[in-house]
Amino acid sequence: MILTVTLNASVDKSYVVDHLDPYKVMRVKEVNNTAGGKGLNVSRVAALAGEPVTAMGFIGGHNGRLFESLIFVRGIEKRFTHINAETRCCINVRDLATNKSTEFLEPGSLVTEDDLAAFLHDFETQLPLSRIVTISGSMPKGVPADFYGLLVELARRAGKPVLLDSSGEALRAALSAYPTFIKPNADEICQLLGKTVSSRQEVIAAARQLHDGGVDTVAVSLGRDGVLVVSGEGVYRGITPNVPVVNTVGCGDSMVAGFAVGLARGMALPERIRYAVAISTANALTQETGSFRGEDLEALLPQIQVERLSAFA
């Protein structure tokens, strides 16, 4: 079972408009509500891939009840910690004229010390039942900066690999707990290391620094250009084929899910990269966030190129 953690869950509202014109009344053509937060995207994609998932995090209030009702993908067990604060909403507005999106992300309500204690109890209860842990996204107000580090440490003590996808201080504080896998982009690496990286070699050197600091696998997301992966097995590049992109929201989360599924199935690193890039690309072919069609994944897998750039990281 893959255990997914989404502390800052949200009800995600997707609006489609013909043309986004700021400061005017906009008529929405389409509305789609989903159970959101980066970890929920991971949950859906892993479950659609056929892996059992237990989803955890904080939810509360009327939005929390709506949130749980929106989780209907088979294979996801809901083990959320219920709190008094209202679950947040986030809005993504897609402009059909430009095929670009504008996002409005609420910060999340305050989480109390009692809420944190309840979640830790729930988390430690589920750990023995899991094979892999994924931790994704931001943290709501009231959660200490080192909380992800604590979760990583608890999982590692239980012998569970941890895939962490976050940014800023939450990611920085967790590095000392040695997550198994992280997925920063180039900008996030700059923030972590306090240096500018632009060329491929600079990105690899920065990822190598993080790997040498104790992270087993560092996957640097390159968007349309795929992913660079640095691990003890070497440096690899997964290359995304040219496809007609429909929606890029959730592609990074889908990649994390792909790596988690590949790890759960014992895939060798190159095949894990191939699978993760294919499932991320398949997400881009759908309007839904954190989703893919099985036929798209099967068609994409043989198209994904995985290059070994050097024998040792």
Side-chain angles (χ1 to χ4, degrees):
M1 176 265 284
I2 297 174
L3 179 63
T4 65
V5 175
T6 314
L7 294 187
N8 213 6
S10 67
V11 175
D12 283 1
K13 295 179 174 293
S14 173
Y15 294 166
V16 177
V17 298
D18 285 321
H19 176 67
L20 182 61
D21 196 353
Y23 314 116
K24 292 186 177 180
V25 174
M26 304 300 304
R27 299 293 180 183
V28 177
K29 294 188 67 173
E30 298 177 28
V31 180
N32 185 41
N33 292 322
T34 58
K38 292 172 69 63
L40 261 294
N41 294 334
V42 174
S43 303
R44 275 191 298 272
V45 170
L48 287 170
E51 292 297 316
V53 172
T54 296
M56 302 191 70
F58 295 114
I59 60 169
H62 297 291
N63 286 340
R65 289 189 288 276
L66 172 59
F67 175 92
E68 282 198 297
S69 74
L70 293 170
I71 302 174
F72 44 77
V73 173
R74 183 176 300 175
I76 300 178
E77 183 176 0
K78 294 172 275 191
R79 292 289 180 179
F80 293 96
T81 302
H82 290 256
I83 63 177
N84 291 326
E86 192 77 30
T87 294
R88 66 180 180 147
C89 291
C90 294
I91 297 173
N92 179 286
V93 183
R94 181 177 169 223
D95 183 339
L96 292 176
T98 62
N99 201 30
K100 293 182 178 180
S101 294
T102 301
E103 292 187 286
F104 299 87
L105 308 179
E106 294 183 9
S109 300
L110 180 67
V111 173
T112 68
E113 290 187 9
D114 287 343
D115 296 333
L116 290 171
F119 175 82
L120 285 174
H121 174 269
D122 295 342
F123 181 72
E124 292 187 274
T125 299
Q126 293 299 317
L127 265 181
L129 308 175
S130 68
R131 295 181 61 193
I132 293 164
V133 178
T134 71
I135 304 172
S136 304
S138 61
M139 297 189 293
K141 290 181 287 187
V143 180
D146 62 352
F147 195 70
Y148 280 167
L150 173 58
L151 299 184
V152 172
E153 184 177 343
L154 290 172
R156 286 179 59 86
R157 285 181 191 170
K160 314 297 181 180
V162 183
L163 284 68
L164 174 63
D165 183 18
S166 189
S167 60
E169 190 56 35
L171 174 58
R172 181 180 292 106
L175 291 179
S176 59
Y178 310 123
T180 310
F181 168 102
I182 61 173
K183 190 194 67 61
N185 57 32
D187 289 340
E188 289 163 351
I189 280 188
C190 293
Q191 295 170 10
L192 279 175
L193 301 178
K195 63 171 70 172
T196 300
V197 295
S198 52
S199 69
R200 180 191 295 179
Q201 288 307 312
E202 288 174 338
V203 171
I204 292 172
R208 169 66 187 267
Q209 184 176 337
L210 293 169
H211 166 71
D212 290 346
V215 180
D216 181 76
T217 303
V218 180
V220 184
S221 176
L222 303 175
R224 281 182 174 269
D225 293 327
V227 64
L228 280 170
V229 178
V230 175
S231 81
E233 299 180 40
V235 180
Y236 293 84
R237 181 185 175 207
I239 303 171
T240 305
N242 188 21
V243 297
V245 173
V246 175
N247 175 27
T248 60
V249 180
C251 285
D253 306 325
S254 300
M255 182 174 288
V256 172
F259 275 107
V261 170
L263 191 60
R265 295 177 181 172
M267 294 181 188
L269 181 59
E271 290 311 304
R272 221 180 305 158
I273 295 169
R274 184 185 312 279
Y275 190 82
V277 173
I279 213 165
S280 173
T281 307
N283 176 86
L285 297 178
T286 70
Q287 183 57 53
E288 294 180 57
T289 298
S291 183
F292 69 94
R293 293 181 291 263
E295 59 269 27
D296 289 338
L297 176 60
E298 292 304 315
L300 285 164
L301 276 169
Q303 300 180 49
I304 306 300
Q305 299 179 53
V306 179
E307 299 177 341
R308 192 173 193 180
L309 303 181
S310 69
F312 299 99

